[in-house]
Amino acid sequence: TGKLHTVAKAAGKTYFGSATDNPELTDSPYVAILSDNTMFGQITPGNSWKWDATEPSRGTFTFTAGDAILSLAQKNSQLLRGHNCVWYNQLPSWVTSGNFDAATLQSIITTHCSTIVGHYKGDTYSWDVVNEPFNDDGTWRTDVFYNTLNTSYVATALNAAKSADSATKLYINDYNIETAGAKSTAMQNLVKSLKSAGTPIDGVGVQGHLIVGEVSSMTSNLAAFTALGVEVAITELDIRMTLPATAALYAQQKTDYQTVISSCQAVAECIGVTIWDYTDKYSWVPATFSGQGGACPWDASLLKKPAFDGIVNGFQS
Ligand code: G3I
């Protein structure tokens, strides 16, 4: 057994945490487990700090839902990862359809990032300032930000976040950068170019949305990031399977969780791990990948799966 945050701390990590979301906070048994800060020393708001939730119309900011996550973390003495400032998804239509010129969109990004990071100044350990900038082949995602501003939007967002809260750690976060490949190389090149330009960048978030049976060591790839002078974190870990779940799939999933955690454990500057909610009851997976699920370490009845012991073993490896 054991408690995951306590085990992670004993292994020298800063936190073990979970994403959560506002609708789940009415589920008392769910909240009771989430609120155990020896299990989860950190939480990430799964939706309510995103652009559509925080600035639904231009210049009008709403923090009611976001602040409910802050209150929970404060009540439980848990760290917070801010998620996120600039992302192509969950954008309000006034951003995507505004046809803004470059100077205007740059100013919109600066206002958005500085306002939300400033609102939570002093409250976060880190922020995903830029989320998912790359396609899987390592080219830049041609979203409204890139199409209007080329790559400069990244520095604009990072600088705005830095001026709003100089202490929070500024991350770029993406998926399919867990192991070596074109997308990981693209992220490394971005970190290098930001560093050489003197743009503030503290960390790379490696999301970790993985598939049972397809997980391999991440150690050398994580070390390639930290060699550039940034920390890394596993920010959205879950390992999905094709349903129905079987004992064999659960056993493989335990091995796969252990592989991920031991990869982080092997890299000193891999500072923590966040699972993208702790229970299958609230996982994003089934709604996105038809017929798949079972990705989290707790099942939909809030019972621990074998994956839980894989996490403990990984920190103790
Ligand atoms: O808020 C509306 C609600 O009004 C409506 O009734 C309902 C009906 O569909 O939809 C609600 O919006 C949903 C939203 O979550 C809030 O619950 C969206 O449909 C749904 O698509 C959205 O999914 C989120 C997803 O990001 C969007 O891409 C997931 O909850 C969230 O876990 C997921 O998180 C992302 C990370 O931010 C970035 N990395 C990948 C990760 C998984 O996709």
Side-chain angles (χ1 to χ4, degrees), residues 19 21 23 45-47 50 52 83-84 87-90 131-132 173 175 207 209 236 238 276 282-284 287-288:
D21 202 3
N47 281 303
K50 290 172 178 174
D52 60 352
H83 179 82
N84 55 60
W87 186 30
Y88 76 93
N89 202 352
Q90 289 175 287
N131 199 39
E132 303 175 1
N173 189 50
Y175 60 90
Q207 291 185 4
H209 294 295
E236 305 185 11
D238 51 25
W276 205 242
Y282 297 119
S283 173
W284 69 290
T288 303

Side-chain angles (χ1 to χ4, degrees), residues 77-100:
S77 301
Q78 292 161 315
L79 299 174
L80 273 167
R81 296 193 79 260
H83 179 82
N84 55 60
C85 295
V86 176
W87 186 30
Y88 76 93
N89 202 352
Q90 289 175 287
L91 277 176
S93 59
W94 70 265
V95 178
T96 42
S97 312
N99 289 312
F100 300 111

Side-chain angles (χ1 to χ4, degrees), residues 244-311:
T246 62
L249 284 166
Y250 274 4
Q252 181 63 48
Q253 185 181 50
K254 173 184 175 181
T255 299
D256 293 338
Y257 267 94
Q258 182 167 337
T259 297
V260 174
I261 302 296
S262 62
S263 299
C264 181
Q265 186 56 30
V267 177
E269 303 84 1
C270 181
I271 56 90
V273 178
T274 307
I275 47 179
W276 205 242
D277 227 318
Y278 73 83
T279 164
D280 294 333
K281 187 172 185 180
Y282 297 119
S283 173
W284 69 290
V285 169
T288 303
F289 299 101
S290 179
Q292 298 182 50
C296 301
W298 276 255
D299 71 15
S301 306
L302 307 183
L303 297 174
K304 290 173 194 161
K305 293 150 65 169
F308 181 93
D309 293 322
I311 295 171

